Amino acid sequence: MPASAVRCAREIQIALAHRRDEPGVDPLQVRIGAAAGEPVERNQDLFGSTVQLAARLCARAAPDEVLVSAVLADLCIGKGLRFDDLGEDNLKGFPDPVRMRRVRLD
């Protein structure tokens, strides 16, 4: 399932890039962040550190980019996905630096 989530995010970015190449289409750019873990569900809403980490990665991503946690990237080993290591950074709400990876779209 982790690889499926990363593939889905990758395919969204690729499809949006192709859409921008079509004449008369307004450009649409999105940022995607994803993390692995166990979210907390309450009243049909999701909470917890996994959701917060995904939100922080999304905020850190550039338009047209997919950022994932190193844990999620590690769960995709051997699945044909490629990542650029962006190193560690301090993210709001997390006491320790978080290692981030950018999903390769090529």
Side-chain angles (χ1 to χ4, degrees):
M1 296 274 273
S4 295
V6 174
R7 278 192 195 96
C8 180
R10 183 180 177 279
E11 291 303 315
I12 288 169
Q13 294 295 30
I14 291 170
L16 289 173
H18 285 45
R19 182 181 182 277
R20 283 191 298 277
D21 293 339
E22 296 175 12
V25 173
D26 289 331
L28 176 64
Q29 295 179 293
V30 298
R31 305 165 194 257
I32 300 175
E38 301 240 0
V40 176
E41 189 272 330
R42 185 177 339 128
N43 298 328
Q44 298 182 347
D45 205 354
L46 296 176
F47 301 91
S49 61
T50 302
V51 175
Q52 288 299 313
L53 180 53
R56 299 290 182 253
L57 291 167
C58 185
R60 188 63 59 98
D64 306 323
E65 194 171 59
V66 179
L67 294 187
V68 300
S69 65
V71 171
L72 181 54
D74 288 347
L75 291 170
C76 296
I77 291 174
K79 303 297 183 186
L81 294 161
R82 297 184 315 153
F83 303 88
D84 294 323
D85 187 354
L86 301 180
E88 293 182 340
D89 203 354
N90 294 309
L91 300 178
K92 181 180 174 184
F94 293 88
D96 299 317
V98 174
R99 181 164 293 278
M100 300 176 287
R101 302 230 172 98
R102 177 178 35 241
V103 177
R104 300 280 304 265
L105 302 180
D106 54 1

